Amino acid sequence: MTARRGRPRRPRLPAWTATLTWKSAVFITVMCCALAALLGVLVHVSVAGQTVDDFRERALTRLAGASRAYEAGDPLPRAAGIDPEGLPEELRALALRGERGTVVEEYQGRPTMWAAGPADGRALAVRVDYSTGTEIIDGLDRSILGSSVLAIGATLLVGAFAVTRITRRLHLTAQVARRISAGDLDARVDDPRTKDPARPQDEVATVSGALDTMASSLQRKLQTEQRFTADVAHELRTPLTGLSAAAELLPEGRPSELVRDRVKAMRSLTEDLLEISRLDARNETVDLAVHDLGAIARRVVRASGTETEVRVGRDATVETDRRRLERVLGNLVANAHRHGAPPVVLTVDGAVVTVRDHGPGYPEYLLASGPQRFRTENGGKGHGLGLTIAVGQAEVIGARLVFADAPDGGAEARLTLPEYVRLADPDEDPEP
């Protein structure tokens, strides 16, 4: 039996290679190199062709003068001769066929332009030093390469500056969007291009303006809902107080017990709505003090009147708002008994408090997106406000509340508080 080999993982590129700045730089570099190469080839071909034509014309002119001297019986000019040494064979064969031509080859270590023609069945040839032409073409190539490098560098700098300005605005827009999603509805991009209608707007300004408009609309909507919730809760308190007093005057019996129970539930709901409206307004003040976490946990369980086991593995001292912390733990314990199954265990391990039950666990929607108001799974009891208040109060006191299902079944709420660190007194002698 052979073991299967897994697919080799493709190497992952660094995160910065996915940025718009990097992609723009690569695109600009590739395009500049392609354009520089195209222009360089065109200029090189044009100048090289013109240089070769000039030297060919010069060589053929010398060949014509040498032909006239040969026919007149005069001495041949310098660098001319009949079947000279070093004459390229293809040019010699061309002259023997009665044709004229030129070719460039190395002669005595120097580039030379040869021109040859027929002369009584032999080859009459002249040579012209082609070093100047080679130097012209080489100098041109170096100039093209240097200017291309400078042009690419300058283009990269200008392009990087322009792209960085755009990406900086995009990063600012993304930061504002994250602040809004975190609950800061006062966050705005405030792009100056969106404030002046006469000023032309680019795509980034359009996105920034749309985000600001969305945030303003969302803020107005949420503020309206918060005011409505607070107003309804305030208006309900007075009639509920009177209704509660009237219920106490009813004669004892099952009907009066039902009325008192419903009035109590309505008063509890009203108080929860008022608390949520205050949390939504984000203007709560925290009364911080130093407390022992184990003692608070025991007090919460005693006040709940439920069969909840308290386990203190490692007690811790925390600086927190005791009333708000007790509210969070009380809601978690009540939710565990209302929707879970015994045994319910509250565990203190340092600055971490865990409330665990052995019921069916949390519903999927709660694990995915957190508690939702007025929503319970399968029409269960309650209004979905207890855990919502627990999350809000935990945020106020700077704690982190996480909901999860236990590995062996049941629901588990884990509250992590900032642990209080007592600074050593400089006047206090250290222990020996």
Side-chain angles (χ1 to χ4, degrees):
M1 184 175 180
T2 58
R4 292 186 179 180
R5 292 185 177 181
R7 283 188 177 182
R9 292 185 178 180
R10 293 192 304 176
R12 296 184 60 182
L13 296 176
W16 54 267
T17 58
T19 61
L20 183 60
T21 303
W22 164 254
K23 293 180 180 178
S24 301
V26 172
F27 175 77
I28 293 174
T29 303
V30 171
M31 293 303 297
C32 288
C33 291
L35 182 60
L38 178 60
L39 293 177
V41 169
L42 293 177
V43 173
H44 174 86
V45 171
S46 176
V47 174
Q50 184 178 356
T51 303
V52 171
D53 290 342
D54 291 342
F55 276 85
R56 180 181 291 114
E57 184 178 356
R58 187 185 309 176
L60 291 175
T61 301
R62 290 188 180 184
L63 178 62
S67 297
R68 288 192 297 269
Y70 176 77
E71 293 174 356
D74 296 333
L76 294 178
R78 185 181 177 185
I82 301 297
D83 293 330
E85 181 184 359
L87 179 64
E89 292 300 327
E90 63 270 20
L91 193 57
R92 186 189 305 274
L94 183 67
L96 294 178
R97 291 197 302 268
E99 300 178 9
R100 291 187 174 191
T102 59
V103 69
V104 177
E105 272 200 8
E106 291 283 336
Y107 177 72
Q108 295 181 354
R110 298 176 66 86
T112 303
M113 170 74 75
W114 289 92
D120 297 332
R122 293 183 296 177
L124 174 62
V126 298
R127 63 179 185 273
V128 177
D129 189 5
Y130 193 66
S131 300
T132 306
T134 304
E135 292 174 358
I136 291 174
I137 296 175
D138 291 343
L140 175 66
D141 291 342
R142 288 192 295 271
S143 299
I144 292 175
L145 181 60
S147 60
S148 299
V149 171
L150 290 177
I152 292 173
T155 306
L156 271 177
L157 290 177
V158 174
F161 175 74
V163 173
T164 302
R165 291 189 63 186
I166 296 175
T167 54
R168 188 184 301 116
R169 293 165 59 197
L170 289 175
H171 284 310
L172 175 61
T173 303
Q175 290 175 1
V176 172
R178 285 191 288 267
R179 288 172 56 189
I180 293 173
S181 64
D184 184 7
L185 298 181
D186 292 325
R188 297 292 185 274
V189 180
D190 288 332
D191 194 318
R193 295 168 182 79
T194 61
K195 297 181 179 179
D196 186 3
R199 188 173 182 179
Q201 296 185 10
D202 56 8
E203 288 79 1
V204 180
T206 302
V207 173
S208 302
L211 179 63
D212 288 348
T213 303
M214 181 199 70
S216 299
S217 176
L218 180 63
Q219 186 178 36
R220 287 193 299 269
K221 181 179 179 181
L222 291 179
Q223 288 176 347
T224 301
E225 292 180 355
Q226 292 169 8
R227 285 194 297 269
F228 175 77
T229 302
D231 293 343
V232 169
H234 277 292
E235 293 298 327
L236 286 176
R237 295 183 76 178
T238 301
L240 282 176
T241 301
L243 186 59
S244 177
E248 295 297 330
L249 300 177
L250 294 176
E252 295 296 331
R254 182 59 180 168
S256 60
E257 291 179 0
L258 292 175
V259 171
R260 294 190 188 99
D261 180 69
R262 291 300 86 195
V263 170
K264 182 179 179 181
M266 290 184 65
R267 292 189 64 178
S268 176
L269 175 60
T270 302
E271 295 298 328
D272 287 346
L273 289 174
L274 281 173
E275 187 170 357
I276 286 178
S277 66
R278 289 193 296 267
L279 291 173
D280 288 341
R282 295 181 178 273
N283 54 7
E284 294 282 84
T285 57
V286 183
D287 183 16
L288 295 178
V290 179
H291 303 278
D292 291 332
L293 192 54
I296 293 179
R298 296 187 184 92
R299 184 163 51 248
V300 168
V301 171
R302 286 196 301 269
S304 67
T306 59
E307 294 293 331
T308 302
E309 181 183 356
V310 179
R311 299 175 183 174
V312 180
R314 180 174 64 89
D315 204 351
T317 302
V318 295
E319 186 177 16
T320 187
D321 189 323
R322 183 177 60 84
R323 181 185 66 84
R324 297 182 188 277
L325 177 58
E326 290 178 351
R327 177 69 159 151
V328 174
L329 297 180
N331 283 12
L332 294 179
V333 170
N335 182 81
H337 282 280
R338 182 179 296 115
H339 300 286
V344 176
V345 181
L346 188 151
T347 305
V348 177
D349 185 9
V352 179
V353 182
T354 303
V355 178
R356 161 80 186 282
D357 65 64
H358 292 75
Y362 289 116
E364 293 184 0
Y365 79 87
L366 191 147
L367 296 176
S369 56
Q372 298 181 15
R373 304 171 189 182
F374 300 103
R375 177 175 179 179
T376 55
E377 192 72 5
N378 299 326
K381 296 180 180 180
H383 305 89
L385 298 181
L387 294 183
T388 303
I389 292 174
V391 171
Q393 294 289 12
E395 182 179 352
V396 171
I397 62 178
R400 185 167 63 94
L401 181 57
V402 178
F403 301 98
D405 286 339
D408 53 347
E412 183 179 87
R414 180 182 297 268
L415 180 69
T416 305
L417 294 108
E419 192 166 355
Y420 176 72
V421 179
R422 189 183 302 275
L423 299 177
D425 189 352
D427 297 330
E428 183 180 352
D429 294 333
E431 295 183 1

